Amino acid sequence: MESALQSRAIQEASALCRPFEDPVGDASRMFRAFLTAMSHPGRVVAAFGPGDYPEPLGTTGFGAALTLLDADTPVYLSPQIGTARTLANLRFHCGCPIVDEPAAASFAFMTMAEAETVLPKLSVGTPDYPDRSATALILGGGFTNNDTVRLTGPGIYKYKTLGMNAPQGFWTHLQCNADRYPLGFDTVFIAEGEIVGLPRSTRIDPTITAEEC
Amino acid sequence: MYVAVKGGEKAIDNAHRLLAEDRRGNPDVPELTIDQIREQLKLSIDRVMTEGSLYDRDLAALAIKQARGDLIEAIFLIRAYRTTLPRFGYSQPVETSDMVLDRRISATFKDLPGGQVLGPTFDYTHRLLDFMLAAEGKEIDAPETVETDTDETPRVLEILARNGLMEPPDGIETDGRSEAEKADVGDLTRDPLSFPTNRDLRLQNLARGDEGFLLAMGYSTQRGYGRNHPFAGEIRFGTVSVEFVPEELGFPIEIGEIEMTECDMVNAFAGSAEAAPQFTRGYGLTFGHCERKAMSMALVDRALRSKELGEPADAPAQDEEFVLSHSDNIQATGFVEHLKLPHYVDFQSELAMVRRMRAEFFGEDDDASTAEAAE
Amino acid sequence: MRDETITGETVPVPESGYNFAYLDEGAKRMIRRAILKAVAVPGYQVPFASREMPMPYGWGTGGIQVTASILKPEDTLKVIDQGSDDTTNAVSIRRFFAKTAGVATTEKTEEANIIQTRHRIPEKPLSEDQIIVLQVPIPEPLRWLEPREVETRRMHALSDYGVMHVKLYEDISRHGRITTNYDYPVMVNGRHIMAPSPTPKFDNPKMGNMPALQLFGAGREKRIYAIPPHTEVKSLDFEDHPFSIQAWDEPCALCGAEEVFMDEVILDDQGGSMFVCSDSDFCQRRRDAGHKGPAVEGDDT
């Protein structure tokens, strides 16, 4: 008969997903997807993750975690993302500390619906060290063909349009963020097999009117 | 006819072969063994381990052999190897009060509990070349061995601290940091140094720093550039045990013993509005037996505390950014020696401009082969 | 296992005992995060925990760490030093990556998707599919004016760049011109003054609105910075003293190219010299295509 401890161990093990097949090569490929996304804001860039993944993260979100996170990166998980399975996998595979406060995180996972409450709390760095800021990883936002925002700035030739299903008021937060430049957080939208980067340097011109910051 | 500079690859290969040949020297002379270097060039080993930040006598000996006795090159080899090693964690702080002593001297008290132990030192040798050493197989008079009792050899500065004459080991409480902040020791091999910094990172930087650089900086404080009235409170050399807490056990276990040299400098301090008059300290610690380094480090550590202690800080040794940015001999040697790399492009840019300026100076037409074009 | 690369160098399987591209995965992750920050704040120097590399500081360890962190197994790498693929340090760095990463290497600019360089940007325009990694000795453009990091960091935070303009203006009043010829300071994205590394100012205009991502690595000084593609990069100047670049009166002696950066080659001890392209790949390709400069005209060998 199994002891309580044994059954708990088995339970936890079954919660663990398998990481990248080729941990070194896949991490390098996934990082390049991130680098391309951040270098070309608004561009939909192909990305990937392991076949087995904790649900709320999705395959690409899990791939992002395996690529970017470790013991040096405090991570915030929004309520919808921070399931026991997500926690078990991030702790085991990345060894990253999980923090309760978005302000203490260097990476924050959230759904699009939760972004409005999380984004305003993220660290934006200090004038001396604008790099000491967070990266928001927003999961599940589907990219659409309806242009909702017009993007300009570094990495963008002339301008770029981006369509996305976002709650009303969402873009206001990102515009306020861009206004603080060089302070600010950086954002990556993660959908299945695709990511879009939106660094703080990108100026966002709404095709939908935004509220005052 | 001009032939473009080609054949860099062949040149490199041949340079490596020449280097190997030179390293070996005359093949009729027996080759040095790692054992010989480890046992007979101990002080070289100790310096390479200290500045290389890796305690491994055999690897240090190999590095010295490979570097043909160039210690900075050997330190470089060790550092480059060290960065590739996996890290299991940080050891517990070593307890130097429990050191099994080979040497212990104090310049501040004639006698003290446990006594002074002169140990192996050049101090009172007459620096006369010993031609007998040139002849191999010289018999050595066996030295007397003395057992020291560590219970009876407290550190001198602890004796002073007990009656309040000496500041506590981690400094007078004037730097505004809490106990928890002081306990959080940084690691400059994991995080880039940012200024202003704290004493933990300064000491780490100095421990890895170049002996010659620290010697000169320490010396400068003695000559008046940031004088801090030092006394060698205690210098001890011996063996300490290293303890580590494995995650799965949760309590410390002894993982080995290492030799270390420790220097406590006693320095005067007049006191301030908040702090009563008391002595202050400068601290030096090295792997192995690196006494000159430990003493120099203690002098520079104390000099770098001038701001914290409310002293004027205008001498080079008191300038944190200056000292810490230039103490590392691997960084320094790399950048100095990089001047050997081709700089054709930069030089050509300067050459073209100087030609033009000379032409203008001598009132000639702009006949230099380059001109400036508007973008 | 690949035996031959396009450059004809023999590439053994990656050196056993070391990770792909030498750095351990933890170091790569740390550097990768710094690179992403650098891209997000163009021209701002991100501090990073630079590792000790098996090459000396000052010899490209910053560029090497950046390259090691961005390389993926499918990449093709080109390494140049002073414009040339064949100078000893370029050979040494290229071999290092061939040995530790087993990636393909090339001398042809357009075949490479990663180009590590010291002091030059290739003459052939780069594309969006390429990344250029520049080795940087002193990343702080204000360092010659203010040696203290605490002060220069503050100046960047406040956009307090008065000292730089004063320095350039003093040049003009003393010499009638700005006397900086390489490592000529630039303003990136209208916000951060940046050191372009010791490239000749001839290359500065290439940095502005370049389609390729530009990454800068300073190992000894522990800084990484970046210019994303299509980013405004302006060389500092004054209205009455506009920025200008070097130009040569004669074409390349070997390939006849004009409007490229030239090396001067001393021919004798009587002051005889000739000028040839600094970009060796560019020059060779032109000669292969039949272009001839004055030194080889009528020469059929």
Side-chain angles (χ1 to χ4, degrees):
Chain A
M1 205 180 123
E2 285 171 8
S3 71
L5 202 66
Q6 275 175 318
S7 70
R8 194 172 148 234
I10 288 165
Q11 209 182 344
E12 277 189 10
S14 68
L16 290 181
C17 304
R18 259 199 260 198
F20 284 129
E21 300 247 329
D22 168 10
V24 173
D26 284 346
S28 72
R29 294 177 187 103
M30 185 62 172
F31 167 71
R32 285 287 282 282
F34 265 83
L35 185 58
T36 304
M38 291 299 271
S39 305
H40 299 277
R43 181 184 288 185
V44 180
V45 178
F48 63 98
D52 186 19
Y53 49 86
E55 275 308 330
L57 286 180
T59 174
T60 312
F62 189 40
L66 294 172
T67 303
L68 296 172
L69 310 183
D70 57 30
D72 294 331
T73 54
V75 173
Y76 171 79
L77 301 171
S78 68
Q80 286 192 44
I81 307 292
T83 62
R85 193 149 185 249
T86 306
L87 274 156
N89 276 283
L90 292 193
R91 285 214 174 102
F92 181 81
H93 289 299
C94 306
C96 52
I98 307 290
V99 295
D100 296 331
E101 286 303 319
S106 55
F107 287 88
F109 279 100
M110 70 206 79
T111 61
M112 185 65 100
E114 293 163 306
E116 277 202 81
T117 52
V118 178
L119 294 182
K121 296 177 190 159
L122 291 178
S123 164
V124 297
T126 65
D128 279 2
Y129 293 95
D131 56 300
R132 294 181 183 171
S133 55
T135 301
L137 302 168
I138 302 178
L139 293 162
F143 311 121
T144 71
N145 292 323
N146 307 323
D147 300 338
T148 38
V149 283
R150 184 173 180 274
L151 310 173
T152 53
I156 300 168
Y157 180 67
K158 291 183 178 167
Y159 69 90
K160 175 108 186 84
T161 53
L162 176 64
M164 195 177 301
N165 290 322
Q168 214 173 358
F170 171 77
W171 292 109
T172 314
H173 289 293
L174 290 185
Q175 282 173 308
C176 294
N177 184 53
D179 288 345
R180 278 186 290 236
Y181 185 85
L183 300 189
F185 54 83
D186 305 304
T187 308
V188 180
F189 299 99
I190 301 178
E192 288 306 90
E194 290 173 340
I195 58 173
V196 169
L198 210 53
R200 68 192 83 173
S201 59
T202 303
R203 287 180 290 282
I204 302 162
D205 183 24
T207 51
I208 300 166
T209 321
E211 294 151 38
E212 282 295 298
C213 293
Chain B
M1 174 54 220
Y2 164 74
V3 182
V5 191
K6 287 270 173 193
E9 209 161 322
K10 276 190 188 156
I12 289 177
D13 281 340
N14 206 43
H16 292 173
R17 283 193 289 270
L18 284 167
L19 180 66
E21 190 183 64
D22 261 21
R23 176 186 300 125
R24 180 59 184 89
N26 182 351
D28 295 337
V29 176
E31 188 173 343
L32 264 178
T33 66
I34 300 298
D35 291 346
Q36 286 169 343
I37 297 170
R38 187 190 60 232
E39 297 302 319
Q40 296 173 38
L41 295 178
K42 183 168 179 298
L43 298 184
S44 295
I45 299 278
D46 289 350
R47 179 172 175 197
V48 169
M49 293 197 306
T50 297
E51 294 172 35
S53 269
L54 185 71
Y55 194 96
D56 189 318
R57 297 196 168 280
D58 288 321
L59 286 181
L62 172 61
I64 291 167
K65 178 174 179 177
Q66 188 179 332
R68 305 167 64 197
D70 178 337
L71 295 191
I72 291 186
E73 182 68 23
I75 291 162
F76 185 9
L77 289 167
I78 291 297
R79 290 268 194 97
Y81 177 76
R82 180 187 190 272
T83 48
T84 66
L85 297 175
R87 286 168 184 245
F88 299 110
Y90 293 91
S91 75
Q92 298 292 102
V94 291
E95 187 49 79
T96 52
S97 305
D98 295 341
M99 185 181 274
V100 178
L101 295 169
D102 287 317
R103 170 163 166 80
R104 183 221 199 185
I105 55 166
S106 170
T108 49
F109 295 102
K110 191 170 182 181
D111 202 5
L112 61 157
Q116 309 224 16
V117 182
L118 204 48
T121 176
F122 292 124
D123 287 354
Y124 304 101
T125 61
H126 296 148
R127 270 59 168 204
L128 304 170
L129 278 175
D130 179 0
F131 292 101
M132 294 299 284
L133 275 178
E136 288 166 38
K138 187 189 172 191
E139 294 269 323
I140 300 164
D141 296 332
E144 282 177 46
T145 53
V146 184
E147 290 288 312
T148 54
D149 186 346
T150 53
D151 292 344
E152 289 175 14
T153 54
R155 290 162 64 206
V156 171
L157 269 62
E158 283 166 20
I159 303 171
L160 277 171
R162 243 171 255 157
N163 43 32
L165 285 167
M166 170 57 66
E167 63 168 340
D170 55 355
I172 298 166
E173 307 296 318
T174 53
D175 69 353
R177 288 190 304 151
S178 68
E179 285 303 313
E181 281 168 328
K182 282 183 183 171
D184 185 19
V185 177
D187 181 351
L188 55 79
T189 67
R190 311 303 284 177
D191 297 303
L193 205 55
S194 58
F195 297 105
T197 184
N198 291 318
R199 196 171 174 208
D200 52 344
L201 288 170
R202 289 202 302 258
L203 286 170
Q204 186 187 12
N205 176 291
L206 298 180
R208 289 160 60 91
D210 182 70
E211 177 173 314
F213 176 79
L214 295 184
L215 176 65
M217 294 311 285
Y219 176 46
S220 73
T221 67
Q222 290 180 284
R223 289 196 65 260
Y225 289 85
R227 179 158 168 72
N228 52 37
H229 311 274
F231 299 95
E234 180 170 355
I235 295 162
R236 52 170 65 196
F237 159 64
T239 307
V240 293
S241 59
V242 179
E243 292 186 333
F244 181 75
V245 181
E247 277 291 333
E248 59 271 32
L249 293 183
F251 55 84
I253 54 165
E254 188 177 321
I255 54 171
E257 287 184 331
I258 61 173
E259 284 184 352
M260 298 198 98
T261 306
E262 184 183 53
C263 173
D264 270 318
M265 284 287 175
V266 180
N267 307 74
F269 171 59
S272 69
E274 298 99 58
Q278 56 193 311
F279 291 105
T280 57
R281 54 175 100 202
Y283 187 69
L285 185 71
T286 75
F287 284 152
H289 197 181
C290 301
E291 209 161 293
R292 185 188 301 122
K293 164 73 182 269
M295 294 177 74
S296 305
M297 177 176 166
L299 290 174
V300 178
D301 168 48
R302 178 59 184 78
L304 291 174
R305 297 183 59 208
S306 50
K307 222 178 244 176
E308 166 201 340
L309 297 170
E311 299 165 344
D314 43 18
Q318 296 168 322
D319 185 329
E320 171 177 275
E321 242 197 272
F322 179 81
V323 172
L324 302 188
S325 301
H326 301 114
S327 61
D328 191 290
N329 52 26
I330 304 308
Q331 291 174 8
T333 197
F335 202 45
V336 167
E337 294 196 49
H338 108 286
L339 292 172
K340 290 184 280 194
L341 289 177
H343 284 78
Y344 318 136
V345 168
D346 330 23
F347 183 70
Q348 186 58 226
S349 301
E350 297 280 70
L351 189 59
M353 189 192 64
V354 172
R355 279 189 180 134
R356 256 192 88 196
M357 289 172 71
R358 283 177 62 85
E360 284 171 18
F361 181 85
F362 292 114
E364 294 163 20
D365 287 334
D366 194 349
D367 67 341
S369 50
T370 71
E372 302 263 310
E375 192 192 324
Chain C
M1 180 178 157
R2 197 185 305 114
D3 285 319
E4 289 276 308
T5 67
I6 22 210
T7 53
E9 288 172 55
T10 306
V11 176
V13 286
E15 193 99 316
S16 59
Y18 290 109
N19 192 23
F20 172 74
Y22 183 79
L23 285 176
D24 62 274
E25 290 300 293
K28 281 189 204 166
R29 266 194 305 274
M30 174 271 295
I31 294 168
R32 286 167 178 169
R33 290 190 296 257
I35 292 172
L36 293 178
K37 284 283 196 287
V39 171
V41 190
Y44 165 74
Q45 303 159 50
V46 181
F48 80 110
S50 178
R51 296 293 195 252
E52 260 125 355
M53 299 299 284
M55 282 91 132
Y57 281 121
W59 296 53
T61 56
I64 292 166
Q65 289 180 78
V66 169
T67 299
S69 303
I70 66 174
L71 266 186
K72 56 186 169 65
E74 299 78 18
D75 283 332
T76 301
L77 176 70
K78 171 182 165 85
V79 182
I80 45 177
D81 187 341
Q82 309 286 304
S84 167
D85 298 82
D86 208 36
T87 49
T88 42
N89 203 41
V91 170
S92 167
I93 292 171
R94 186 164 61 240
R95 278 183 164 193
F96 174 73
F97 283 114
K99 194 158 80 174
T100 59
V103 293
T105 59
T106 182
E107 294 185 7
K108 297 192 169 105
T109 298
E110 73 279 6
E111 277 178 4
N113 54 345
I114 307 230
I115 300 170
Q116 177 167 333
T117 177
R118 176 169 167 265
H119 300 194
R120 273 316 307 280
I121 293 174
E123 303 292 358
K124 191 180 172 66
L126 303 181
S127 75
E128 272 198 358
D129 301 325
Q130 296 177 302
I131 299 174
I132 183 164
V133 178
L134 290 100
Q135 303 170 198
V136 182
I138 301 284
E140 179 49 72
L142 306 169
R143 187 60 72 233
W144 313 125
L145 312 171
E146 169 53 64
R148 275 162 213 289
E149 171 72 13
V150 176
E151 296 296 327
T152 52
R153 188 160 283 283
R154 205 71 216 147
M155 292 177 190
H156 285 295
L158 301 171
S159 296
D160 177 8
Y161 292 135
V163 284
M164 181 61 92
H165 290 103
V166 168
K167 190 262 169 196
L168 297 177
Y169 194 77
E170 278 176 356
D171 263 13
I172 292 170
S173 59
R174 192 171 308 156
H175 305 293
R177 75 194 67 223
I178 292 169
T179 54
T180 302
N181 297 294
Y182 58 92
D183 215 347
Y184 188 104
V186 294
M187 174 66 85
V188 179
N189 189 30
R191 176 57 181 81
H192 283 97
I193 285 190
M194 187 196 95
S197 87
T199 47
K201 62 180 181 175
F202 180 88
D203 285 339
N204 276 22
K206 296 177 186 167
M207 290 188 166
N209 298 308
M210 183 193 280
L213 168 66
Q214 300 167 72
L215 298 175
F216 298 78
R220 194 177 36 77
E221 299 281 337
K222 303 179 171 53
R223 297 289 184 273
I224 287 172
Y225 51 103
I227 304 174
H230 312 295
T231 299
E232 186 197 33
V233 178
K234 195 177 174 319
S235 302
L236 302 181
D237 62 359
F238 297 96
E239 257 177 38
D240 49 347
H241 280 92
F243 175 73
S244 61
I245 59 171
Q246 295 100 338
W248 282 259
D249 288 343
E250 44 190 291
C252 168
L254 300 179
C255 79
E258 292 175 8
E259 295 179 9
V260 294
F261 193 86
M262 307 266 196
D263 280 343
E264 182 171 356
V265 179
I266 308 278
L267 295 173
D268 53 43
D269 59 1
Q270 309 297 311
S273 67
M274 66 177 188
F275 290 88
V276 297
C277 295
S278 137
D279 183 337
S280 59
D281 171 54
F282 181 81
C283 194
Q284 186 60 49
R285 306 282 286 286
R286 277 180 56 86
R287 279 180 279 158
D288 291 348
H291 294 281
K292 283 182 178 179
V296 285
E297 259 158 18
D299 182 355
D300 287 329
T301 53

